[in-house]
Amino acid sequence: MTELVEKLTVAMAAFEKDAKAAATGNKAAGARARKVSLEIEKDLKAFRKVSIAAAK
């Protein structure tokens, strides 16, 4: 579970950086932010699954 948290932390940092660049008009950064957001979504679902299993 700690690996997932570390992976999410890195992905969120990358998303934040690219999202800020996209807000200033960088189109390539917008595409990167969208890609990372999909990865974050998958990782969050995996985290939820592991978290529920650990709580039982």
Side-chain angles (χ1 to χ4, degrees):
M1 184 144 96
T2 56
E3 291 174 8
L4 270 173
V5 172
E6 289 177 22
K7 188 175 178 184
L8 281 165
T9 303
V10 170
M12 288 299 293
F15 174 78
E16 183 179 2
K17 179 184 134 204
D18 288 334
K20 286 181 180 179
T24 61
N26 186 333
K27 291 182 182 181
R32 288 191 303 270
R34 288 190 296 275
K35 182 179 177 184
V36 171
S37 72
L38 293 174
E39 293 173 14
I40 290 170
E41 180 183 16
K42 291 177 189 175
D43 291 340
L44 285 172
K45 286 180 182 180
F47 176 80
R48 181 176 44 172
K49 193 176 200 179
V50 170
S51 176
I52 289 171
K56 289 185 179 181

